[in-house]
Amino acid sequence: MKILITGATGFIGSFIVEEALNRGMEVWAAVRGTSSRQYLTDERINFIELNLDSEKQLQSALAPHKFDYVVHAAGVTKCLNRIDFFRVNTEGTKHLVNVLLSLEMPMKKFVYLSSLSVFGPAREQMPYTEITDKDTPVPNTAYGQSKLAAENFLHQQESLPYVILRPTGVYGPRERDYFMMAKSIKSHVDFAVGYQPQIITFVYVADVVQAVFLALERGPVGGHYFLTDGRSYSSQMFSNLLKKYLGVRGLLRIKAPLPVLRGVTFLGERYSRITRKITALNDDKYNIMRQRNWLCDITPAREELGYQPTVELEEGVRRAVEWYKENHWL
């Protein structure tokens, strides 16, 4: 079976490539000319350069191939300008799908990696309850809005055998956003915001990969599924586990009110625009951190895909920290 994986050089994409190789598939990793191939060293990997900004260039690159499966994991989570989220996450998806359909690619399945962020603060009233497919998406970040726009486009493609996966916060080896939190904890500082209780969900990268291949094998066309590890956590649990596995003893916990975070991210956003350097302290980050409820219903993924999360947070954090240490990130 021949599989095309976009975003193959990224955090999740590189693990999807590894699993596809383990399954004996003919793997084609879509890359950009400037992409680092640090985690794509297996000699069995075939590389294909795709420019998702141009349907003409996509047509030329993809025309010689016939893929049985396509996993679209390419995307951006941080950008200098709001419009770039839509250029990459929305328009890039449209361009890829349009070309695949125009070439009459004999795909058995097209799996799209979306995000829980497409729903935003859909259920913020206490007591918190799980977000479900029946809720109305209200994304409050440019990232979530761009992903939702891509999902809406897929819903309109009657001839595309697509399945949508919506993972919550994905963590594990090679991941950089939660790694920044690990660096902070190692420096004995834990920063949190807001005084209203916050419930967080996580999913380890290996379980996202598991869901991808379940979706390829048995996902019903048009299906869309939330992905977590099946549990929920307090806002301090992740930092407590990092503290434990980093061997940090003393920890200064700073909890700031939301207006303070708003001021910091406002300045960070403006600084980025002036320096043209992307920062994690931006408007999207403010909206993500102020959201209090990240619960979602993974029952459909369990029942329809056979998804069974295998890595709970403590074990996942232990593995991630061990990898960060072994690879001299910490």
Side-chain angles (χ1 to χ4, degrees):
M1 290 295 178
K2 190 173 180 179
I3 185 171
L4 171 68
I5 302 166
T6 72
T9 61
F11 162 49
I12 299 175
S14 62
F15 283 104
I16 297 173
V17 168
E18 288 181 8
E19 180 61 20
L21 291 171
N22 290 339
R23 290 169 178 251
M25 303 176 84
E26 180 182 333
V27 178
W28 287 78
V31 299
R32 293 171 296 178
T34 59
S35 299
S36 167
R37 304 183 186 185
Q38 179 181 2
Y39 303 120
L40 302 178
T41 58
D42 194 300
E43 61 183 13
R44 294 172 294 173
I45 300 172
N46 302 283
F47 292 98
I48 180 170
E49 290 193 19
L50 296 185
N51 179 5
L52 296 177
D53 288 331
S54 169
E55 289 194 13
K56 182 178 179 180
Q57 291 183 33
L58 284 171
Q59 186 92 17
S60 176
L62 291 172
H65 301 279
K66 298 295 182 183
F67 293 106
D68 300 292
Y69 300 108
V70 176
V71 178
H72 185 33
V76 290
T77 59
K78 294 186 288 290
C79 291
L80 284 174
N81 299 301
R82 172 184 172 85
I83 193 173
D84 290 332
F85 285 104
F86 293 89
R87 178 180 60 81
V88 177
N89 296 339
T90 308
E91 297 305 314
T93 301
K94 289 182 180 180
H95 294 160
L96 176 63
V97 169
N98 285 339
V99 170
L100 290 172
L101 293 178
S102 72
L103 292 171
E104 298 183 347
M105 196 70 66
M107 292 176 291
K108 295 179 174 65
K109 208 66 63 69
F110 177 97
V111 172
Y112 178 59
L113 266 293
S114 186
S115 169
L116 175 58
S117 291
V118 302
F119 277 81
R123 292 188 177 226
E124 289 290 87
Q125 298 80 18
M126 296 181 68
Y128 301 138
T129 54
E130 292 178 337
I131 296 170
T132 74
D133 279 339
K134 293 182 173 58
D135 288 310
T136 300
V138 286
N140 59 352
T141 62
Y143 170 72
Q145 292 161 6
S146 67
K147 285 289 193 177
L148 179 60
E151 285 195 18
N152 289 337
F153 170 76
L154 295 180
H155 294 324
Q156 299 168 7
Q157 310 309 307
E158 295 181 358
S159 59
L160 183 71
Y162 72 88
V163 178
I164 296 171
L165 300 178
R166 299 165 175 157
T168 185
V170 187
Y171 72 103
R174 306 176 191 167
E175 198 279 331
R176 291 188 175 276
D177 288 343
Y178 289 117
F179 165 68
M180 299 304 294
M181 188 173 180
K183 285 183 67 177
S184 179
I185 297 296
K186 188 177 181 182
S187 299
H188 303 272
V189 176
D190 177 27
F191 181 78
V193 296
Y195 297 105
Q196 184 177 331
Q198 185 180 46
I199 300 297
I200 304 176
T201 51
F202 296 94
V203 61
Y204 189 70
V205 63
D207 283 327
V208 176
V209 174
Q210 173 204 162
V212 166
F213 285 90
L214 287 170
L216 290 174
E217 294 166 359
R218 64 182 76 170
V221 173
H224 29 79
Y225 304 97
F226 297 117
L227 301 176
T228 75
D229 67 3
R231 297 179 176 272
S232 60
Y233 304 93
S234 68
S235 56
Q236 282 191 6
M237 179 61 76
F238 196 79
S239 59
N240 286 342
L241 290 172
L242 285 171
K243 177 176 178 289
K244 174 180 177 179
Y245 288 107
L246 285 169
V248 173
R249 294 188 177 183
L251 193 63
L252 174 63
R253 296 190 185 274
I254 301 172
K255 181 169 283 192
L258 284 170
V260 171
L261 176 65
R262 172 71 283 189
V264 171
T265 56
F266 176 86
L267 293 174
E269 185 87 14
R270 275 62 198 171
Y271 176 79
S272 286
R273 293 178 183 176
I274 293 170
T275 62
R276 309 301 298 170
K277 294 180 180 179
I278 297 175
T279 176
L281 297 173
N282 52 38
D283 290 342
D284 267 18
K285 187 67 171 180
Y286 168 73
N287 286 316
I288 289 170
M289 293 187 72
R290 76 170 180 170
Q291 186 169 325
R292 301 288 92 182
N293 178 26
W294 291 91
L295 294 171
C296 59
D297 181 16
I298 66 169
T299 303
R302 291 183 186 273
E303 294 180 348
E304 296 176 25
L305 298 182
Y307 171 69
Q308 293 295 336
T310 59
V311 183
E312 293 185 6
L313 188 62
E314 178 154 3
E315 173 61 15
V317 170
R318 186 195 67 77
R319 293 185 192 180
V321 169
E322 182 177 313
W323 187 90
Y324 291 145
K325 290 178 177 178
E326 289 177 351
N327 288 271
H328 309 293
W329 285 31
L330 289 171

